[in-house]
């Protein structure tokens, strides 16, 4: 006999360049052959399963590794004639998208400026953001990709203070991930005060830091001058203030600079 087996993939086998979050895949072929012998499944260039077969449907179940995998099926008959399917690729993606947020503070009554770098092993499908304002009002936006960053600039912000952002992204096989960040909407003005000792002498070279309330995040910081003057471009908001002298640390919470 000089005729090679006829072998073709059937329905249910991953199509070429399939993306999936399921590592376990069924690979099924139909073989036409009068003198069947061996049939093998080849994954990434290596034989991973070899078995005897009968003409008709032959099914393999294989657990693929995460990443890009190629596979084919080869059959031979008892006379040494060999034939193979085409090689297909299946992309296994178990990893959700990853975030690297660029925090952009903006002046009041200007457009929001959300920027985030979202990466995935294969394809990012969509990136959205839920923005909660200082007054508790929430709004949503869908970010668009520009110069490797996902951006949203369609919302005008009219309330001064801290905004919380929850970013969510899913990839082409619906792996989902979220992350939270914040940014500040500012209404800045020149804030000046003079720090004096009990005897009226200047408190010079004192480190004064303004924190986001209840956190260790420094929003403003400066040293007093030789005359005790502290000058800052402050936002009209609440701060925790920490004053560090040579012998003491003074913390004042929820200082209102509105």
């Amino acid at each position: 006999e000089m005729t090679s087996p006829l072998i073709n993939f059937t329905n249910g086998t991953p199509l070429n360049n399939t993306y999936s979050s399921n590592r376990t895949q069924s690979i099924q072929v139909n073989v036409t052959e009068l003198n069947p012998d061996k049939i093998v499944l080849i994954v990434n260039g290596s034989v991973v399963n070899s078995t005897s077969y009968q003409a008709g449907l032959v099914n393999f179940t294989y657990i693929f590794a995460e990443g890009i995998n190629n596979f084919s099926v080869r059959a031979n008959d008892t006379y040494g004639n060999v034939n193979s399917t085409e090689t297909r690729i299946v992309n296994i993606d178990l990893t959700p998208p990853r975030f690297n947020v660029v925090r952009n503070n903006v002046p009041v009554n200007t457009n929001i400026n959300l920027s985030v770098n979202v990466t995935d092993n294969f394809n990012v499908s969509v990136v959205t953001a839920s923005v909660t304002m200082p007054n508790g009002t929430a709004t949503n936006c869908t970010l668009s990709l520009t110069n490797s960053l996902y951006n949203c600039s369609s919302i005008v912000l009219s309330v001064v203070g801290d905004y919380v952002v929850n970013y969510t992204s899913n990839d082409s096989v619906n792996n989902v991930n979220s992350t939270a960040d914040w940014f500040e909407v500012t209404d800045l003005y020149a804030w000046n005060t003079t720090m004096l000792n009990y005897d009226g002498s200047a408190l010079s070279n004192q480190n004064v830091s303004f924190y986001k309330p209840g956190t260790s995040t420094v929003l403003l910081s400066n040293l007093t001058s030789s005359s005790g003057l502290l000058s800052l471009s402050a936002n009209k908001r609440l701060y925790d203030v920490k004053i560090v002298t040579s012998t003491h640390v003074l913390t004042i919470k929820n200082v209102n600079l509105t």
Side-chain angles (χ1 to χ4, degrees):
E1 183 193 3
M2 302 296 292
T3 303
S4 297
L6 297 177
I7 181 170
N8 296 285
F9 288 123
T10 63
N11 292 336
T13 300
L15 298 175
N16 189 40
N17 211 29
T18 290
Y19 291 86
S20 178
S21 59
N22 186 1
R23 292 180 59 197
T24 303
Q25 298 288 330
S26 177
I27 300 166
Q28 186 170 270
V29 293
N30 185 66
V31 187
T32 302
E33 173 57 51
L34 295 177
N35 302 289
D37 185 21
K38 295 290 185 180
I39 190 168
V40 298
L41 172 64
I42 302 169
V43 175
N44 298 327
S46 299
V47 173
V48 297
N49 197 334
S50 176
T51 186
S52 302
Y53 73 97
Q54 297 296 319
L57 295 177
V58 180
N59 187 73
F60 294 96
T61 299
Y62 187 73
I63 301 175
F64 287 93
E66 183 173 16
I68 303 172
N69 299 273
N70 61 71
F71 67 94
S72 62
V73 179
R74 184 179 68 219
N76 65 276
D77 60 21
T78 55
Y79 291 91
N81 301 304
V82 179
N83 200 5
S84 299
T85 64
E86 76 273 17
T87 298
R88 291 185 178 181
I89 293 174
V90 60
N91 304 284
I92 304 299
D93 187 5
L94 307 177
T95 305
R98 299 167 294 279
F99 298 92
N100 184 14
V101 177
V102 180
R103 182 178 300 148
N104 296 312
N105 300 325
V106 296
V108 67
N109 296 321
T110 61
N111 286 59
I112 196 171
N113 185 14
L114 299 183
S115 296
V116 58
N117 181 18
V118 185
T119 56
D120 187 71
N121 287 356
F122 292 100
N123 299 304
V124 175
S125 179
V126 65
V127 181
T128 60
S130 175
V131 182
T132 302
M133 302 179 184
N135 59 12
T137 302
T139 188
N140 300 318
C141 65
T142 299
L143 284 70
S144 57
L145 182 61
T146 305
N147 296 327
S148 77
L149 289 176
Y150 287 86
N151 301 280
C152 174
S153 58
S154 60
I155 306 168
V156 177
L157 304 176
S158 59
V159 180
V160 173
D162 295 330
Y163 286 62
V164 176
V165 188
N166 284 287
Y167 295 96
T168 301
S169 178
N170 63 279
D171 60 21
S172 55
V173 296
N174 209 35
N175 293 312
V176 179
N177 198 10
S178 298
T179 192
D181 196 55
W182 65 276
F183 65 92
E184 187 179 16
V185 172
T186 60
D187 185 7
L188 301 178
Y189 69 103
W191 187 83
N192 301 289
T193 191
T194 300
M195 296 178 60
L196 303 175
N197 233 322
Y198 69 95
D199 59 2
S201 61
L203 281 171
S204 62
N205 202 38
Q206 305 302 304
N207 189 340
V208 183
S209 299
F210 288 66
Y211 290 79
K212 185 183 177 190
T215 75
S216 59
T217 301
V218 177
L219 300 178
L220 304 170
S221 185
N222 205 354
L223 297 174
T224 58
S225 69
S226 59
S227 63
L229 177 65
L230 177 68
S231 297
L232 294 167
S233 183
N235 193 15
K236 295 178 179 179
R237 55 162 298 155
L238 297 178
Y239 293 96
D240 287 349
V241 181
K242 181 180 288 187
I243 304 168
V244 181
T245 72
S246 58
T247 57
H248 294 84
V249 175
L250 173 65
T251 300
I252 312 170
K253 295 187 176 182
N254 292 319
V255 176
N256 191 338
L257 295 190
T258 61

